[in-house]
Amino acid sequence: MPRAVEADRLMNMTFNRFKKEASITEEELCREFFNEHCRLIKVKNEKIAVKNLALIIKTTIRLSNEIGFYSMSMRDLSRETGLSMGALYSYFPGKGRLLDMIHHLGGKTVMRVLQTYIEKEESPAEKLETAVRAHLYLSEIMKDMFYFFYMETKNLNKKNRKTPVASELLTERVFIDILKEGVKKGIFKIDDILLTGSVIKAMLQDWYLKRWKYRKRRINVEKYAGFVIRFINKNIIKELK
Amino acid sequence: MPRAVEADRLMNMTFNRFKKEASITEEELCREFFNEHCRLIKVKNEKIAVKNLALIIKTTIRLSNEIGFYSMSMRDLSRETGLSMGALYSYFPGKGRLLDMIHHLGGKTVMRVLQTYIEKEESPAEKLETAVRAHLYLSEIMKDMFYFFYMETKNLNKKNRKTPVASELLTERVFIDILKEGVKKGIFKIDDILLTGSVIKAMLQDWYLKRWKYRKRRINVEKYAGFVIRFINKNIIKELK
DNA sequence: AAAAAAAGAACGAACGTTCGCTATATTTTT
DNA sequence: AAAAATATAGCGAACGTTCGTTCTTTTTTT
């Protein structure tokens, strides 16, 4: 069916379109961060707070991804942000809490974006493709943050440590629900839905966990997305006999 | 072809058989460790050294997987092993070097086992299945060490940091070479060999990176191996028309 | 008795955090 | 409108703690 394939290709959400539509700006996220934690942030001026929070969060993620959150000292953060030790502690209650707060922000953002895009689609096949693309594109835009999330989970305090575990399962659940719906409607044929959901998640994570590898091989996110979707579809789409 | 499938199933390497055959004992690995680094180890009695090295390495991996290698202090290690601070420093030159030494040991072991098992097989299809199973079974036996490798890579010193990156690519190459051979012999039909190798690696890694998830769902390593192999095969085995 | 191994007190460096201070912006009073 | 008072942001030295490591002493083995 070359015509149908062609139509599909035209309808594919491109990375650039997603980037424009989603328009997840650093500033907007930091404003949300500020409003949510203003009780813990000593700086009251929103304009100043948002500016410096953006600087602090960006620098924390960068340094953590280079040497690990635990290895990054507050003096490192002070030097790299240009803010003094005292000033830093006006923006968060302590090093550990800073980590928790960034995690909280990221988790919420991912789920919000994912849900928004899935709701737009009708059929399970379209939902699945959209979910895969939205997840990959979002992780491409926020690649440092995604890597940071994955690698620094164990450094969270016990209360918040459950969140990313739950978040891992939550993202996976989105895919499992789509798969279930597809099976129910007779569109998908899947042996093991749970395991299928797991390996989909694994393939999505590989994109941001092995960035250096894919960059080196000049594989862009759209190519990867297309490959993953075809790879999945071969295993779940009912064959027409 | 129910008969062929049945034959295949009988020939599948089981986890228990692998465990017996490979017989990777903690003690044997530590003896290798001792002989390789005896220049840096002050304790000369092999029996004592191997016993305590096993204790030190096991405890280091356990504590690192719980709280991270950097968060684990030498006092933690002293308390948990029951060895004094002074005694610890008779077994390795320093905390950083201990990490390097464990990584070195693990990397060598993985490649050795993988190569041994692949050499036994003839056809690419069998090689692929064996490689997948050997990798998964090995990571099941040494699950803590595999998790440790992945999570503590960035804490290695710069000289040794290249090793795990190279090791990631090295393991992947094993699979890519099998895929290439299969295509050449006309057994496999693959669009993108490099990307196929990548997602195979991603699925294998998921097994030891998300141990808690699979344990909770009561999915054992053999079931996972079977699923992964079928998932891959649907994408690479030439269809008979 | 000599050698090897283990012990644990001690050391300086570096850690996260605090706190008194200065500088600047905003509000209130005159 | 000018002056005084207050509030806020930023600073960096200093604190107590904990870190990796060393070194002398004690115990165990040969």
Side-chain angles (χ1 to χ4, degrees), chain A residues 17-29:
Chain A
R17 212 182 84 202
F18 177 86
K19 207 173 177 179
K20 262 191 195 165
E21 276 178 16
S23 68
I24 299 151
T25 66
E26 226 169 53
E27 207 202 323
E28 191 47 53
L29 286 179

Side-chain angles (χ1 to χ4, degrees), chain A residues 64-71 147 150-155 161 164-166 168-169 172-173 176 189-192 194-203 205-206 209-210 212-214 216-217 219 223-224 227-228 230-232 234-236 239, chain B residues 64-72 147 150-155 161 164-166 168-169 172-173 176 189 191-192 194-203 205-206 209-210 212-214 216-217 219 223-224 227-228 230-232 234-236 239:
Chain A
S64 292
N65 287 353
E66 283 170 10
I67 57 171
F69 181 76
Y70 205 84
S71 310
Y147 187 81
Y150 194 85
M151 297 308 276
E152 304 300 345
T153 295
K154 69 157 121 25
N155 294 325
R161 206 176 302 169
V165 171
E168 150 83 22
L169 293 176
E172 199 190 82
R173 174 130 309 273
I176 288 174
K189 186 186 177 316
I190 306 175
D191 283 340
D192 192 316
L194 227 58
L195 273 175
T196 306
S198 289
V199 299
I200 290 174
K201 188 84 210 292
M203 288 189 283
Q205 275 183 332
D206 212 57
L209 289 179
K210 312 266 178 63
W212 51 271
K213 193 171 79 177
Y214 293 113
K216 202 174 169 186
R217 293 177 182 172
I219 295 164
K223 183 174 178 185
Y224 190 77
F227 179 84
V228 167
R230 280 194 303 277
F231 205 86
I232 299 167
K234 278 248 175 138
N235 273 276
I236 65 170
E239 287 165 45
Chain B
S64 292
N65 288 354
E66 282 169 11
I67 58 171
F69 181 75
Y70 248 95
S71 310
M72 177 198 77
Y147 187 82
Y150 195 85
M151 297 308 276
E152 304 299 344
T153 296
K154 70 159 118 25
N155 295 325
R161 206 176 303 166
V165 171
E168 150 82 24
L169 293 177
E172 199 191 82
R173 175 130 306 274
I176 289 173
K189 186 184 176 317
D191 282 342
D192 193 316
L194 228 57
L195 274 176
T196 306
S198 289
V199 299
I200 290 174
K201 190 80 209 293
M203 290 189 281
Q205 275 183 333
D206 212 56
L209 290 179
K210 313 264 179 62
W212 53 271
K213 193 171 80 177
Y214 293 112
K216 202 174 169 186
R217 294 179 182 172
I219 295 166
K223 184 175 178 184
Y224 189 78
F227 179 84
V228 167
R230 280 193 303 276
F231 205 86
I232 299 167
K234 278 246 175 139
N235 273 276
I236 65 170
E239 287 164 44

Side-chain angles (χ1 to χ4, degrees), chain A residues 1-11:
Chain A
M1 310 170 261
R3 205 175 291 173
V5 171
E6 193 59 32
D8 254 335
R9 187 178 306 279
L10 287 173
M11 285 180 64

Side-chain angles (χ1 to χ4, degrees), chain B residues 57 63 78 100 132 146 162 197 207:
Chain B
I57 292 173
L63 291 177
S78 168
D100 301 339
V132 168
F146 270 69
K162 287 166 195 163
W207 177 252

